[in-house]
Amino acid sequence: MQSVLENLTLEVFQGVLDELKALCQLPLTPATLRTKPVEIERIYDQTPLLLRLQIIAGVQGEEATLQVLRGAALKFHQQQQLSSLCQEAVVVARQLQQKVGEIRARAIASRLFQVELTDGLPVLTQVLKNIDQQLQDLKILSAQPSEDDPT
């Protein structure tokens, strides 16, 4: 569903825009470019909502796009966000794997392993343990039935 607000006075429109900016913690100064969409989650009438605001510098001043996602649209958006985060995590994990491989190769080649890595290795090991625990938590969560799952 789409709505367009027309025939608003400039003062009313600017007031609404300023309130939306304040809600999304955006600066109240006029936009000079297209801003990155800001998303905030709220609950209205016991219903989860996602508000997505984008401010655009237009010919006659600022223009705004406000999307309100709820129900199936919100669930789809959340699934897309989760999928995107997973893809980003895989890329970062591969980069980490490559960096650890480089460290290992250089340590073997230079025989400086004990001198150079004594500080960094315990920290890296702890980070990897924390990641492993988070992955175990995700496995447990993925094995549990969803709230929306009728089974």
Side-chain angles (χ1 to χ4, degrees):
M1 188 164 124
Q2 182 175 342
S3 295
V4 176
L5 299 177
E6 294 179 354
N7 301 325
L8 286 179
T9 66
L10 183 57
E11 294 80 23
V12 170
F13 179 78
Q14 193 61 53
V16 169
L17 193 56
D18 288 345
E19 288 297 322
L20 288 170
K21 285 180 174 183
L23 180 68
C24 295
Q25 300 178 347
L26 291 172
L28 296 179
T29 56
T32 55
L33 301 171
R34 177 179 292 255
T35 62
K36 181 178 177 183
V38 176
E39 296 180 351
I40 57 173
E41 293 183 30
R42 294 290 188 262
I43 304 242
Y44 175 76
D45 199 23
Q46 299 180 346
T47 302
L49 300 173
L50 179 90
L51 304 175
R52 184 186 297 153
L53 176 68
Q54 184 167 24
I55 309 295
I56 304 155
V59 177
Q60 298 177 345
E62 291 180 302
E63 299 175 7
T65 301
L66 176 66
Q67 292 178 306
V68 180
L69 301 178
R70 63 185 180 130
L74 176 57
K75 185 173 182 172
F76 177 77
H77 174 74
Q78 290 169 332
Q79 288 171 340
Q80 294 297 104
Q81 294 292 92
L82 188 57
S83 176
S84 178
L85 277 173
C86 287
Q87 290 172 3
E88 289 176 34
V90 168
V91 168
V92 171
R94 286 186 176 140
Q95 290 172 344
L96 177 60
Q97 181 181 14
Q98 182 180 5
K99 292 294 180 187
V100 170
E102 285 179 35
I103 291 168
R104 182 174 155 257
R106 288 183 186 197
I108 290 169
S110 66
R111 308 244 188 251
L112 296 174
F113 182 76
Q114 292 177 341
V115 176
E116 299 294 325
L117 291 180
T118 53
D119 293 336
L121 196 57
V123 174
L124 183 58
T125 301
Q126 186 58 49
V127 168
L128 291 173
K129 283 181 183 177
N130 292 344
I131 291 171
D132 188 51
Q133 181 59 53
Q134 290 173 330
L135 288 171
Q136 294 303 320
D137 293 346
L138 286 173
K139 285 179 186 176
I140 292 168
L141 284 172
S142 68
Q144 295 174 351
S146 166
E147 292 176 6
D148 299 331
D149 193 358
T151 57

